[in-house]
Amino acid sequence: MSKEILSLEPKAIWENFYALTQIPRPSKHEDAIQDYMMKFGQDLGLETIKDAVGNIIIKKPATPGYEDRQGVVLQGHLDMVPQKNADTEHDFEKDPITAIIDGEWVTADGTTLGADNGMGVAAAMAVLQATDIEHGPVEALFTADEETGMTGAFGLQNDVLDGDILLNMDSEDEGELYVGCAGGIDANVTMKYKEEKLEKGHLAYKLYMKGLKGGHSGMEIILGRGNSNKLLFRFMKYATKNFKLKLASIDGGSLRNAIPRESFAVVAVPEKYNEKFLAAIAEFEATFKAELSAVEPDLAFFAEATDVPKKVFKKKSQKNLINAIYACPNGVIRMSDDMPGLVETSLNLARVYSENGVITIQALIRSSVNSAKEDLAQMVSSTFELAGGKVKLEGEYPGWKPNMDSPILKTMQKVYNDKYGKIPEIKAIHAGLECGLLGAVYPKWDMISFGPTIRFPHSPDEKVKVDTVAKFYDFLIETLKHVPVKEAVEA
Protein backbone atom coordinates (compact mmCIF):
# COMPACT_ATOMS: atom_id res chain seq x y z
CA MET A 1 0.00 0.00 0.00
CA SER A 2 3.01 2.33 0.21
CA LYS A 3 2.44 3.65 -3.30
CA GLU A 4 -0.77 5.38 -2.24
CA ILE A 5 1.32 8.18 -0.77
CA LEU A 6 2.43 9.05 -4.32
CA SER A 7 -0.99 10.66 -4.80
CA LEU A 8 -0.24 13.26 -2.14
CA GLU A 9 0.91 16.83 -2.75
CA PRO A 10 3.46 18.23 -3.14
CA LYS A 11 4.62 15.36 -5.31
CA ALA A 12 8.18 16.70 -5.24
CA ILE A 13 8.44 15.66 -1.58
CA TRP A 14 6.21 12.59 -1.47
CA GLU A 15 7.89 10.90 -4.44
CA ASN A 16 11.26 11.28 -2.75
CA PHE A 17 9.89 10.15 0.59
CA TYR A 18 8.39 7.06 -1.04
CA ALA A 19 11.81 6.25 -2.51
CA LEU A 20 13.33 6.54 0.97
CA THR A 21 10.75 4.14 2.46
CA GLN A 22 11.81 1.51 -0.06
CA ILE A 23 15.45 1.54 1.02
CA PRO A 24 16.20 -0.06 4.40
CA ARG A 25 18.15 2.52 6.43
CA PRO A 26 18.30 1.72 10.14
CA SER A 27 21.16 3.37 11.99
CA LYS A 28 24.51 1.66 11.39
CA HIS A 29 23.15 0.05 8.18
CA GLU A 30 23.19 2.97 5.78
CA ASP A 31 25.31 1.76 2.85
CA ALA A 32 22.28 1.35 0.57
CA ILE A 33 20.83 4.79 1.26
CA GLN A 34 24.24 6.41 0.94
CA ASP A 35 24.75 4.74 -2.45
CA TYR A 36 21.29 5.91 -3.51
CA MET A 37 22.00 9.50 -2.52
CA MET A 38 25.34 9.49 -4.32
CA LYS A 39 23.63 8.35 -7.53
CA PHE A 40 20.82 10.86 -6.95
CA GLY A 41 23.23 13.79 -6.89
CA GLN A 42 25.37 12.52 -9.73
CA ASP A 43 22.34 11.92 -11.96
CA LEU A 44 21.39 15.58 -11.45
CA GLY A 45 24.85 16.59 -12.66
CA LEU A 46 25.68 18.15 -9.29
CA GLU A 47 28.89 17.98 -7.30
CA THR A 48 28.36 15.03 -4.98
CA ILE A 49 30.69 13.97 -2.16
CA LYS A 50 30.78 11.11 0.34
CA ASP A 51 33.09 11.85 3.23
CA ALA A 52 35.02 9.47 5.46
CA VAL A 53 32.16 8.94 7.95
CA GLY A 54 29.37 8.47 5.41
CA ASN A 55 27.93 11.98 5.13
CA ILE A 56 26.66 12.84 1.65
CA ILE A 57 27.11 16.43 0.42
CA ILE A 58 25.44 17.65 -2.78
CA LYS A 59 26.11 21.18 -4.05
CA LYS A 60 23.77 23.16 -6.31
CA PRO A 61 24.73 26.57 -7.76
CA ALA A 62 22.56 29.64 -7.32
CA THR A 63 19.82 30.34 -9.85
CA PRO A 64 20.53 33.36 -12.10
CA GLY A 65 20.23 36.63 -10.20
CA TYR A 66 20.75 35.02 -6.78
CA GLU A 67 24.50 34.53 -6.88
CA ASP A 68 25.05 37.21 -4.23
CA ARG A 69 22.91 35.51 -1.58
CA GLN A 70 24.28 33.82 1.50
CA GLY A 71 24.86 30.13 0.96
CA VAL A 72 22.33 27.81 2.57
CA VAL A 73 23.05 24.32 3.89
CA LEU A 74 19.92 22.12 3.91
CA GLN A 75 20.51 19.41 6.48
CA GLY A 76 18.86 16.16 7.46
CA HIS A 77 19.98 12.70 8.56
CA LEU A 78 19.71 9.57 6.46
CA ASP A 79 19.15 6.94 9.15
CA MET A 80 15.92 6.03 10.92
CA VAL A 81 15.00 4.39 14.22
CA PRO A 82 14.02 0.72 13.75
CA GLN A 83 11.08 0.05 16.07
CA LYS A 84 8.19 -2.36 15.50
CA ASN A 85 5.31 -3.88 17.39
CA ALA A 86 5.99 -7.31 18.87
CA ASP A 87 3.44 -8.94 16.56
CA THR A 88 4.85 -7.30 13.40
CA GLU A 89 7.24 -9.29 11.25
CA HIS A 90 9.75 -6.88 9.75
CA ASP A 91 13.48 -6.97 9.06
CA PHE A 92 14.67 -3.37 9.07
CA GLU A 93 17.88 -4.35 7.29
CA LYS A 94 16.02 -5.92 4.35
CA ASP A 95 12.36 -4.92 4.23
CA PRO A 96 10.88 -1.65 2.92
CA ILE A 97 8.58 0.41 5.09
CA THR A 98 4.88 0.15 4.27
CA ALA A 99 3.47 3.68 4.45
CA ILE A 100 -0.29 4.11 4.84
CA ILE A 101 -2.59 7.13 4.50
CA ASP A 102 -4.71 7.28 7.65
CA GLY A 103 -7.05 10.24 7.33
CA GLU A 104 -5.01 13.42 7.78
CA TRP A 105 -1.85 11.49 8.54
CA VAL A 106 0.64 9.13 6.94
CA THR A 107 1.82 6.32 9.19
CA ALA A 108 3.32 2.84 8.80
CA ASP A 109 2.10 -0.71 9.18
CA GLY A 110 3.33 -1.72 12.64
CA THR A 111 6.75 -0.07 12.36
CA THR A 112 8.37 3.31 12.59
CA LEU A 113 7.69 5.37 9.47
CA GLY A 114 11.02 7.12 9.03
CA ALA A 115 9.46 10.57 8.64
CA ASP A 116 12.12 11.38 11.24
CA ASN A 117 14.14 12.50 9.30
CA GLY A 118 12.95 11.28 5.91
CA MET A 119 10.72 14.31 5.44
CA GLY A 120 13.64 16.70 5.83
CA VAL A 121 15.78 14.63 3.48
CA ALA A 122 12.97 14.45 0.91
CA ALA A 123 12.53 18.24 1.04
CA ALA A 124 16.23 18.83 0.40
CA MET A 125 16.11 16.35 -2.48
CA ALA A 126 13.16 18.22 -3.97
CA VAL A 127 15.08 21.51 -3.85
CA LEU A 128 18.06 19.88 -5.55
CA GLN A 129 15.80 18.56 -8.32
CA ALA A 130 13.77 21.75 -8.82
CA THR A 131 14.18 23.88 -11.93
CA ASP A 132 11.42 26.35 -11.13
CA ILE A 133 12.44 27.85 -7.76
CA GLU A 134 14.76 30.75 -6.96
CA HIS A 135 17.63 30.40 -4.52
CA GLY A 136 21.21 31.31 -3.79
CA PRO A 137 23.95 28.69 -3.49
CA VAL A 138 22.55 25.54 -1.89
CA GLU A 139 24.40 22.64 -0.29
CA ALA A 140 22.55 19.58 0.98
CA LEU A 141 24.19 17.85 3.93
CA PHE A 142 22.81 14.37 4.59
CA THR A 143 24.41 13.12 7.80
CA ALA A 144 25.04 9.53 8.83
CA ASP A 145 24.03 7.65 11.97
CA GLU A 146 22.31 10.52 13.78
CA GLU A 147 20.05 8.32 15.87
CA THR A 148 22.67 6.15 17.56
CA GLY A 149 25.56 8.51 18.12
CA MET A 150 25.54 11.43 15.66
CA THR A 151 28.55 9.87 13.95
CA GLY A 152 28.13 11.98 10.83
CA ALA A 153 27.95 15.26 12.73
CA PHE A 154 30.90 14.30 14.94
CA GLY A 155 32.99 13.40 11.90
CA LEU A 156 32.15 16.34 9.64
CA GLN A 157 35.24 18.25 8.51
CA ASN A 158 35.41 22.04 8.62
CA ASP A 159 36.54 22.55 5.02
CA VAL A 160 33.90 20.76 2.95
CA LEU A 161 30.97 23.22 3.12
CA ASP A 162 30.85 26.85 2.04
CA GLY A 163 27.43 27.96 3.30
CA ASP A 164 26.58 30.71 5.77
CA ILE A 165 23.19 29.46 7.00
CA LEU A 166 22.15 26.03 8.24
CA LEU A 167 18.51 25.04 7.84
CA ASN A 168 18.12 21.86 9.85
CA MET A 169 14.87 20.12 8.87
CA ASP A 170 14.59 17.70 11.77
CA SER A 171 11.98 19.45 13.94
CA GLU A 172 8.49 18.07 14.37
CA ASP A 173 5.97 20.91 14.68
CA GLU A 174 5.01 22.96 11.64
CA GLY A 175 4.68 26.65 12.41
CA GLU A 176 7.49 26.61 14.95
CA LEU A 177 11.09 27.68 14.54
CA TYR A 178 13.65 26.07 16.82
CA VAL A 179 16.66 28.09 17.90
CA GLY A 180 18.20 25.83 20.56
CA CYS A 181 18.41 22.21 21.69
CA ALA A 182 19.59 20.03 24.54
CA GLY A 183 22.96 18.36 24.74
CA GLY A 184 23.31 14.77 25.81
CA ILE A 185 25.54 12.04 27.17
CA ASP A 186 25.22 8.25 27.29
CA ALA A 187 25.63 6.36 30.53
CA ASN A 188 26.69 2.82 29.60
CA VAL A 189 26.80 0.45 32.55
CA THR A 190 28.02 -3.11 32.91
CA MET A 191 27.44 -5.27 35.96
CA LYS A 192 28.79 -8.79 36.31
CA TYR A 193 26.46 -11.32 37.85
CA LYS A 194 27.00 -14.77 39.27
CA GLU A 195 24.60 -17.68 38.92
CA GLU A 196 23.66 -20.67 41.03
CA LYS A 197 21.66 -23.81 40.45
CA LEU A 198 17.96 -23.43 41.05
CA GLU A 199 16.70 -25.61 43.85
CA LYS A 200 13.84 -28.00 43.27
CA GLY A 201 10.30 -26.95 44.09
CA HIS A 202 10.10 -23.86 41.88
CA LEU A 203 7.79 -22.83 39.10
CA ALA A 204 9.01 -20.58 36.31
CA TYR A 205 7.34 -17.74 34.45
CA LYS A 206 8.14 -15.23 31.78
CA LEU A 207 7.03 -11.79 32.86
CA TYR A 208 5.73 -9.45 30.17
CA MET A 209 5.48 -5.68 30.51
CA LYS A 210 3.92 -4.62 27.21
CA GLY A 211 1.56 -2.23 25.48
CA LEU A 212 3.32 1.01 26.43
CA LYS A 213 3.57 3.81 23.89
CA GLY A 214 7.29 4.46 24.17
CA GLY A 215 8.42 7.25 21.86
CA HIS A 216 11.26 9.74 21.49
CA SER A 217 13.18 10.01 24.73
CA GLY A 218 13.59 13.75 24.26
CA MET A 219 10.41 14.95 22.59
CA GLU A 220 7.99 12.66 24.43
CA ILE A 221 9.67 12.47 27.84
CA ILE A 222 7.45 15.34 29.02
CA LEU A 223 4.32 13.23 28.44
CA GLY A 224 4.97 11.10 31.50
CA ARG A 225 4.66 7.79 29.72
CA GLY A 226 5.51 4.57 31.48
CA ASN A 227 9.01 3.13 31.32
CA SER A 228 8.72 -0.65 30.95
CA ASN A 229 12.04 -1.24 32.71
CA LYS A 230 11.15 0.83 35.75
CA LEU A 231 7.72 -0.79 36.05
CA LEU A 232 8.99 -4.35 35.72
CA PHE A 233 11.76 -3.86 38.28
CA ARG A 234 9.30 -2.21 40.63
CA PHE A 235 7.33 -5.43 40.65
CA MET A 236 10.42 -7.61 40.95
CA LYS A 237 11.58 -5.64 43.99
CA TYR A 238 8.26 -6.44 45.67
CA ALA A 239 8.19 -10.07 44.54
CA THR A 240 11.75 -10.72 45.67
CA LYS A 241 10.90 -9.53 49.17
CA ASN A 242 7.50 -11.21 49.46
CA PHE A 243 7.72 -14.35 47.31
CA LYS A 244 11.47 -15.07 47.13
CA LEU A 245 11.47 -14.44 43.39
CA LYS A 246 14.63 -15.56 41.60
CA LEU A 247 15.72 -13.91 38.36
CA ALA A 248 17.05 -16.00 35.48
CA SER A 249 17.24 -13.39 32.71
CA ILE A 250 16.15 -9.88 31.80
CA ASP A 251 15.61 -8.21 28.42
CA GLY A 252 14.13 -4.73 28.68
CA GLY A 253 13.85 -1.93 26.14
CA SER A 254 15.56 -1.70 22.78
CA LEU A 255 17.21 1.62 21.86
CA ARG A 256 18.99 4.22 23.97
CA ASN A 257 16.94 7.09 22.53
CA ALA A 258 13.53 5.43 22.70
CA ILE A 259 11.40 5.28 25.83
CA PRO A 260 11.20 1.51 26.51
CA ARG A 261 7.85 0.01 25.56
CA GLU A 262 8.43 -3.66 26.38
CA SER A 263 10.44 -5.54 28.98
CA PHE A 264 10.65 -9.26 29.70
CA ALA A 265 12.11 -11.37 32.48
CA VAL A 266 12.32 -15.09 33.18
CA VAL A 267 11.83 -15.74 36.88
CA ALA A 268 11.22 -18.59 39.28
CA VAL A 269 9.19 -18.69 42.51
CA PRO A 270 8.73 -21.43 45.11
CA GLU A 271 5.60 -23.46 44.43
CA LYS A 272 4.08 -22.46 47.79
CA TYR A 273 3.94 -18.82 46.68
CA ASN A 274 2.49 -19.51 43.26
CA GLU A 275 -1.08 -18.33 43.81
CA LYS A 276 -0.06 -15.23 45.73
CA PHE A 277 2.59 -14.43 43.12
CA LEU A 278 0.10 -14.57 40.24
CA ALA A 279 -2.42 -12.56 42.25
CA ALA A 280 0.25 -9.90 42.86
CA ILE A 281 0.89 -9.63 39.14
CA ALA A 282 -2.78 -8.87 38.55
CA GLU A 283 -2.77 -6.36 41.40
CA PHE A 284 0.32 -4.59 40.05
CA GLU A 285 -1.16 -4.47 36.58
CA ALA A 286 -4.25 -2.78 38.03
CA THR A 287 -2.05 -0.35 39.97
CA PHE A 288 0.04 0.51 36.91
CA LYS A 289 -3.08 1.03 34.82
CA ALA A 290 -4.60 3.29 37.48
CA GLU A 291 -1.45 5.37 37.80
CA LEU A 292 -0.92 5.70 34.05
CA SER A 293 -4.49 5.54 32.76
CA ALA A 294 -4.30 8.87 30.94
CA VAL A 295 -1.11 8.09 29.02
CA GLU A 296 -0.91 4.28 28.79
CA PRO A 297 -4.39 2.90 28.05
CA ASP A 298 -3.01 -0.31 26.50
CA LEU A 299 -0.59 -1.25 29.29
CA ALA A 300 -0.43 -4.99 29.95
CA PHE A 301 1.49 -6.83 32.65
CA PHE A 302 1.17 -10.61 32.83
CA ALA A 303 3.03 -13.89 33.24
CA GLU A 304 3.19 -17.06 31.18
CA ALA A 305 4.46 -20.37 32.46
CA THR A 306 7.79 -21.42 30.98
CA ASP A 307 10.44 -24.09 31.37
CA VAL A 308 12.16 -24.03 34.73
CA PRO A 309 15.67 -22.57 34.26
CA LYS A 310 18.66 -24.54 35.44
CA LYS A 311 20.37 -21.47 36.83
CA VAL A 312 19.33 -18.17 38.38
CA PHE A 313 21.13 -15.08 39.65
CA LYS A 314 22.86 -15.39 42.98
CA LYS A 315 21.15 -13.44 45.72
CA LYS A 316 23.70 -10.59 45.88
CA SER A 317 23.80 -10.13 42.11
CA GLN A 318 20.02 -9.99 41.92
CA LYS A 319 19.75 -7.62 44.86
CA ASN A 320 22.33 -5.22 43.42
CA LEU A 321 20.67 -5.13 40.01
CA ILE A 322 17.11 -4.67 41.24
CA ASN A 323 18.05 -2.00 43.76
CA ALA A 324 20.14 -0.07 41.24
CA ILE A 325 17.44 -0.04 38.55
CA TYR A 326 14.78 0.84 41.11
CA ALA A 327 16.90 3.71 42.46
CA CYS A 328 18.04 5.12 39.13
CA PRO A 329 16.38 8.44 38.25
CA ASN A 330 14.15 8.42 35.18
CA GLY A 331 11.97 10.83 33.24
CA VAL A 332 11.82 14.60 33.61
CA ILE A 333 14.28 15.78 36.24
CA ARG A 334 13.81 19.57 35.89
CA MET A 335 11.83 21.99 33.75
CA SER A 336 13.42 25.07 32.22
CA ASP A 337 13.26 28.34 34.13
CA ASP A 338 13.86 30.34 30.94
CA MET A 339 11.33 28.81 28.54
CA PRO A 340 8.00 27.73 30.07
CA GLY A 341 6.95 24.23 29.06
CA LEU A 342 10.46 23.14 28.02
CA VAL A 343 12.15 20.21 29.73
CA GLU A 344 15.61 21.26 30.91
CA THR A 345 17.01 17.95 32.14
CA SER A 346 15.87 14.35 31.76
CA LEU A 347 17.00 10.76 31.83
CA ASN A 348 15.77 7.75 29.86
CA LEU A 349 16.60 4.37 31.40
CA ALA A 350 16.43 2.74 28.02
CA ARG A 351 17.94 -0.73 28.04
CA VAL A 352 18.58 -3.50 30.56
CA TYR A 353 19.59 -6.98 29.49
CA SER A 354 21.57 -9.95 30.79
CA GLU A 355 23.85 -12.18 28.75
CA ASN A 356 26.75 -14.50 29.56
CA GLY A 357 27.27 -13.25 33.08
CA VAL A 358 27.06 -9.54 32.23
CA ILE A 359 24.18 -7.11 32.65
CA THR A 360 24.24 -4.20 30.24
CA ILE A 361 22.36 -0.99 31.05
CA GLN A 362 22.01 2.00 28.75
CA ALA A 363 20.67 5.39 29.76
CA LEU A 364 20.54 8.66 27.83
CA ILE A 365 20.89 11.92 29.76
CA ARG A 366 19.77 15.19 28.17
CA SER A 367 20.01 18.78 29.35
CA SER A 368 20.22 22.28 27.96
CA VAL A 369 22.39 23.16 30.97
CA ASN A 370 25.82 21.53 30.82
CA SER A 371 26.35 21.57 34.58
CA ALA A 372 22.97 19.87 35.13
CA LYS A 373 23.83 17.24 32.54
CA GLU A 374 27.08 16.48 34.32
CA ASP A 375 25.38 16.41 37.73
CA LEU A 376 22.79 13.89 36.56
CA ALA A 377 25.49 11.78 34.90
CA GLN A 378 27.36 11.60 38.21
CA MET A 379 24.12 10.72 40.01
CA VAL A 380 23.61 7.77 37.67
CA SER A 381 27.26 6.77 38.04
CA SER A 382 26.98 6.82 41.82
CA THR A 383 23.85 4.68 41.77
CA PHE A 384 25.38 1.88 39.73
CA GLU A 385 28.85 2.08 41.24
CA LEU A 386 27.31 1.49 44.66
CA ALA A 387 25.84 -1.69 43.19
CA GLY A 388 29.21 -2.82 41.86
CA GLY A 389 28.73 -1.67 38.28
CA LYS A 390 31.21 -0.04 35.95
CA VAL A 391 29.97 3.15 34.32
CA LYS A 392 31.27 4.76 31.14
CA LEU A 393 30.01 8.22 30.22
CA GLU A 394 30.32 8.38 26.45
CA GLY A 395 29.14 10.13 23.29
CA GLU A 396 28.73 13.55 24.86
CA TYR A 397 27.44 16.20 22.48
CA PRO A 398 26.83 19.90 23.08
CA GLY A 399 23.59 21.77 23.18
CA TRP A 400 22.78 24.65 20.87
CA LYS A 401 22.49 28.05 22.50
CA PRO A 402 19.69 30.26 21.12
CA ASN A 403 20.60 33.42 19.18
CA MET A 404 17.55 35.66 19.25
CA ASP A 405 19.34 38.23 17.04
CA SER A 406 19.80 35.71 14.22
CA PRO A 407 19.29 37.35 10.78
CA ILE A 408 17.81 34.18 9.25
CA LEU A 409 15.42 33.91 12.21
CA LYS A 410 14.11 37.40 11.50
CA THR A 411 13.87 36.63 7.78
CA MET A 412 11.91 33.43 8.37
CA GLN A 413 9.56 35.11 10.83
CA LYS A 414 8.72 37.74 8.23
CA VAL A 415 8.36 35.22 5.41
CA TYR A 416 6.01 33.05 7.47
CA ASN A 417 3.95 36.03 8.60
CA ASP A 418 3.63 37.34 5.04
CA LYS A 419 2.62 33.92 3.74
CA TYR A 420 0.38 32.61 6.52
CA GLY A 421 -0.68 35.70 8.47
CA LYS A 422 1.01 34.88 11.75
CA ILE A 423 4.48 34.88 13.25
CA PRO A 424 5.80 31.38 13.96
CA GLU A 425 6.53 30.38 17.53
CA ILE A 426 10.17 30.48 18.59
CA LYS A 427 11.21 27.47 20.65
CA ALA A 428 14.01 25.33 21.91
CA ILE A 429 13.77 21.54 21.85
CA HIS A 430 14.59 18.89 24.45
CA ALA A 431 16.29 16.64 21.93
CA GLY A 432 19.71 16.22 20.42
CA LEU A 433 19.50 18.08 17.15
CA GLU A 434 22.73 17.97 15.22
CA CYS A 435 22.91 21.77 15.24
CA GLY A 436 25.00 21.84 18.39
CA LEU A 437 27.70 19.64 16.90
CA LEU A 438 27.54 21.18 13.43
CA GLY A 439 27.74 24.66 14.87
CA ALA A 440 30.90 23.67 16.71
CA VAL A 441 32.49 22.68 13.39
CA TYR A 442 31.18 25.77 11.56
CA PRO A 443 30.87 28.37 14.36
CA LYS A 444 29.87 31.22 12.02
CA TRP A 445 26.75 29.46 10.77
CA ASP A 446 23.39 31.11 11.41
CA MET A 447 21.10 28.18 12.30
CA ILE A 448 17.39 27.41 12.42
CA SER A 449 15.55 24.09 12.72
CA PHE A 450 12.03 23.52 11.39
CA GLY A 451 9.88 20.82 9.79
CA PRO A 452 6.39 19.40 9.28
CA THR A 453 4.27 18.04 12.12
CA ILE A 454 5.40 14.56 13.17
CA ARG A 455 4.01 12.68 16.13
CA PHE A 456 5.41 9.76 18.15
CA PRO A 457 8.79 9.42 16.41
CA HIS A 458 10.95 6.46 17.50
CA SER A 459 7.81 4.33 17.97
CA PRO A 460 5.51 2.27 15.73
CA ASP A 461 2.89 5.01 16.20
CA GLU A 462 5.04 7.51 14.27
CA LYS A 463 3.01 9.62 11.82
CA VAL A 464 3.30 12.82 9.78
CA LYS A 465 0.42 15.23 9.16
CA VAL A 466 -0.16 15.50 5.44
CA ASP A 467 -1.20 19.15 5.11
CA THR A 468 1.80 20.34 7.15
CA VAL A 469 4.18 18.79 4.63
CA ALA A 470 2.97 21.18 1.93
CA LYS A 471 3.18 24.18 4.28
CA PHE A 472 6.67 23.20 5.38
CA TYR A 473 7.90 22.85 1.80
CA ASP A 474 6.27 26.07 0.61
CA PHE A 475 7.84 27.88 3.56
CA LEU A 476 11.24 26.40 2.70
CA ILE A 477 11.00 27.54 -0.92
CA GLU A 478 9.91 31.04 0.06
CA THR A 479 12.70 31.26 2.66
CA LEU A 480 15.31 30.35 0.05
CA LYS A 481 13.98 33.12 -2.17
CA HIS A 482 14.43 35.71 0.62
CA VAL A 483 17.80 34.67 2.04
CA PRO A 484 19.84 37.85 2.81
CA VAL A 485 22.60 38.94 0.42
CA LYS A 486 26.17 38.43 1.56
CA GLU A 487 27.00 42.17 1.59
CA ALA A 488 24.27 42.87 4.12
CA VAL A 489 25.94 40.48 6.58
CA GLU A 490 29.52 41.50 5.90
CA ALA A 491 28.95 45.27 6.07
Side-chain angles (χ1 to χ4, degrees):
M1 294 178 67
S2 282
K3 284 191 175 181
E4 67 178 350
I5 68 173
L6 294 173
S7 65
L8 299 173
E9 296 287 347
K11 291 189 181 299
I13 283 192
W14 287 105
E15 288 176 357
N16 285 317
F17 182 68
Y18 171 76
L20 295 175
T21 66
Q22 301 306 293
I23 305 168
R25 51 191 178 95
S27 304
K28 306 293 186 185
H29 300 276
E30 299 159 68
D31 288 347
I33 189 62
Q34 289 167 0
D35 290 346
Y36 179 85
M37 296 306 295
M38 285 294 294
K39 185 175 186 302
F40 174 84
Q42 291 165 352
D43 286 350
L44 290 172
L46 301 176
E47 181 182 357
T48 305
I49 302 164
K50 180 178 180 180
D51 70 11
V53 293
N55 296 319
I56 307 297
I57 296 120
I58 304 175
K59 301 188 177 187
K60 184 180 182 183
T63 53
Y66 283 77
E67 294 88 351
D68 63 345
R69 301 301 179 99
Q70 293 182 62
V72 174
V73 179
L74 302 176
Q75 190 263 321
H77 61 84
L78 292 176
D79 60 321
M80 65 172 285
V81 170
Q83 286 275 280
K84 67 183 184 69
N85 290 323
D87 58 355
T88 298
E89 292 189 10
H90 189 91
D91 186 340
F92 282 97
E93 295 180 28
K94 298 178 180 178
D95 300 334
I97 300 296
T98 301
I100 300 168
I101 299 175
D102 183 12
E104 298 178 331
W105 301 83
V106 168
T107 187
D109 186 12
T111 71
T112 38
L113 175 63
D116 171 16
N117 185 217
M119 277 296 158
V121 171
M125 293 168 71
V127 170
L128 294 171
Q129 289 172 316
T131 59
D132 58 349
I133 65 175
E134 299 166 315
H135 58 78
V138 167
E139 297 167 299
L141 170 60
F142 302 112
T143 48
D145 189 33
E146 187 267 356
E147 298 290 6
T148 59
M150 296 194 181
T151 305
F154 270 112
L156 183 67
Q157 298 300 301
N158 64 3
D159 59 356
V160 69
L161 292 159
D162 304 309
D164 308 287
I165 294 167
L166 178 77
L167 297 183
N168 168 280
M169 297 181 289
D170 194 16
S171 298
E172 292 156 1
D173 282 285
E174 192 281 321
E176 297 178 354
L177 299 178
Y178 286 83
V179 297
C181 70
I185 188 169
D186 293 316
N188 295 318
V189 184
T190 55
M191 298 175 64
K192 292 184 179 180
Y193 65 93
K194 294 183 179 180
E195 293 179 308
E196 62 186 11
K197 288 184 179 180
L198 181 63
E199 299 172 353
K200 293 182 179 180
H202 285 76
L203 298 174
Y205 292 94
K206 185 172 183 178
L207 299 178
Y208 294 80
M209 177 61 65
K210 298 180 64 177
L212 304 180
K213 290 184 179 295
H216 191 295
S217 66
M219 299 291 290
E220 267 94 43
I221 201 79
I222 195 173
L223 300 178
R225 291 176 175 170
N227 180 306
S228 59
N229 292 327
K230 293 290 285 185
L231 294 173
L232 180 57
F233 274 84
R234 177 175 163 184
F235 171 77
M236 290 198 295
K237 169 82 173 177
Y238 175 85
T240 300
K241 179 180 179 180
N242 291 278
F243 309 124
K244 301 188 184 305
L245 174 145
K246 295 185 179 295
L247 177 64
S249 66
I250 179 70
D251 185 3
S254 58
L255 298 172
R256 59 181 261 291
N257 55 357
I259 301 169
R261 301 178 298 114
E262 299 176 335
S263 296
F264 313 96
V266 175
V267 301
V269 292
E271 291 181 6
K272 66 179 181 179
Y273 293 118
N274 187 51
E275 290 186 9
K276 290 183 178 180
F277 172 74
L278 295 177
I281 291 173
E283 291 171 4
F284 267 75
E285 182 187 48
T287 297
F288 294 152
K289 284 185 173 182
E291 291 178 356
L292 299 170
S293 60
V295 291
E296 299 290 5
D298 300 319
L299 180 153
F301 179 45
F302 58 93
E304 290 183 352
T306 190
D307 294 337
V308 176
K310 294 180 180 180
K311 293 183 178 181
V312 292
F313 282 39
K314 280 194 170 183
K315 184 176 181 180
K316 183 177 181 180
S317 294
Q318 178 173 322
K319 181 179 180 180
N320 285 344
L321 173 63
I322 291 177
N323 283 342
I325 296 296
Y326 202 110
C328 183
N330 181 74
V332 175
I333 306 300
R334 183 175 173 83
M335 299 296 291
S336 172
D337 293 330
D338 299 321
M339 299 189 76
L342 175 68
V343 177
E344 177 206 279
T345 305
S346 74
L347 186 143
N348 180 47
L349 185 58
R351 189 83 172 96
V352 185
Y353 65 95
S354 59
E355 188 176 31
N356 299 325
V358 178
I359 301 152
T360 300
I361 300 151
Q362 296 174 329
L364 176 53
I365 298 160
R366 302 180 191 265
S367 184
S368 53
V369 177
N370 285 333
S371 59
K373 180 177 66 179
E374 176 62 22
D375 178 51
L376 184 54
Q378 292 305 320
M379 194 183 303
V380 173
S381 295
S382 298
T383 300
F384 287 103
E385 286 171 358
L386 282 169
K390 292 184 178 180
V391 183
K392 290 184 178 180
L393 300 175
E394 300 174 304
E396 183 173 9
Y397 56 89
W400 165 29
K401 185 178 180 179
N403 174 17
M404 300 310 292
D405 294 322
S406 155
I408 192 60
L409 171 61
K410 294 176 181 178
T411 295
M412 293 180 76
Q413 285 179 296
K414 184 178 186 306
V415 167
Y416 196 92
N417 189 40
D418 290 346
K419 193 167 183 62
Y420 300 117
K422 65 175 184 178
I423 296 175
E425 293 185 59
I426 310 304
K427 291 192 172 185
I429 190 172
H430 188 65
L433 294 175
E434 292 167 285
C435 297
L437 280 171
L438 298 174
V441 180
Y442 290 89
K444 293 184 179 180
W445 273 355
D446 195 3
M447 301 188 295
I448 294 290
S449 180
F450 69 120
T453 297
I454 297 171
R455 290 291 176 263
F456 315 127
H458 298 193
S459 84
D461 296 323
E462 181 185 6
K463 59 184 181 178
V464 58
K465 197 164 189 291
V466 172
D467 63 342
T468 68
V469 174
K471 287 185 72 176
F472 156 64
Y473 187 57
D474 289 345
F475 181 35
L476 170 61
I477 291 172
E478 198 68 15
T479 295
L480 292 175
K481 184 177 179 180
H482 289 86
V483 166
V485 298
K486 280 183 175 290
E487 289 80 5
V489 174
E490 296 170 354

